Amino acid sequence: MQRERVPALVWQITPNDEKALDRYEGWPYLYRKEMIKVKIDKKTVNAMVYIVNESKPLEQPSCFYYSTILEGYQSAGFDVEYLRRAVENSYKKDGVTLENESNGGKLV
């Protein structure tokens, strides 16, 4: 599997936040949690990240999940091209697009 860089936000969370995120992200079945070192304002801190399990094939995200992540990218000022490419890579067949359930607009 090829490794790539992606933009990220770092949040301080509570144990209850982590439990809610675990459910949302499908831990431990879809994602595993790992600790990584990140640099914030010239200080290195440990951060937990969710990483998709290699044993699981990439699947198309639901429109709700995609829309939630897209909103976060836009709010943070991230380049949505990273997200678009990730979704594009999750498709098994060429020429398939992810449709927005609410208005039929293409998301990728």
Side-chain angles (χ1 to χ4, degrees), residues 1 3 8 19-20 23 27 30 32 38 43-44 49-50 53 56 63 65 70 74 76 78 80-82 95 100:
M1 177 179 280
R3 294 185 179 265
K19 286 179 188 175
R23 283 189 302 277
W27 175 85
L30 299 176
R32 66 185 184 279
V38 295
K43 181 179 178 185
T44 300
V49 295
Y50 290 94
N53 290 322
K56 297 287 184 189
C63 286
Y65 187 85
L70 178 62
Q74 292 169 331
F78 291 163
V80 297
E81 180 63 16
Y82 288 101
N100 181 326

Side-chain angles (χ1 to χ4, degrees), residues 15-101:
N16 284 339
D17 293 333
E18 185 173 345
K19 286 179 188 175
L21 283 167
D22 287 349
R23 283 189 302 277
Y24 184 76
E25 296 295 351
W27 175 85
Y29 306 105
L30 299 176
Y31 290 86
R32 66 185 184 279
K33 294 189 275 189
E34 291 187 9
M35 296 301 289
I36 64 169
K37 293 191 181 300
V38 295
K39 200 173 222 178
I40 302 172
D41 297 328
K42 300 181 183 178
K43 181 179 178 185
T44 300
V45 298
N46 289 319
M48 179 199 67
V49 295
Y50 290 94
I51 299 175
V52 70
N53 290 322
E54 285 88 7
S55 62
K56 297 287 184 189
L58 289 177
E59 296 178 358
Q60 298 173 14
S62 70
C63 286
F64 174 78
Y65 187 85
Y66 180 90
S67 296
T68 300
I69 302 303
L70 178 62
E71 183 181 327
Y73 264 61
Q74 292 169 331
S75 294
F78 291 163
D79 182 354
V80 297
E81 180 63 16
Y82 288 101
L83 182 59
R84 189 196 63 74
R85 277 198 324 261
V87 171
E88 207 171 71
N89 290 336
S90 72
Y91 289 95
K92 304 268 186 238
K93 298 177 183 173
D94 292 335
V96 177
T97 58
L98 181 63
E99 301 291 329
N100 181 326
E101 292 172 338

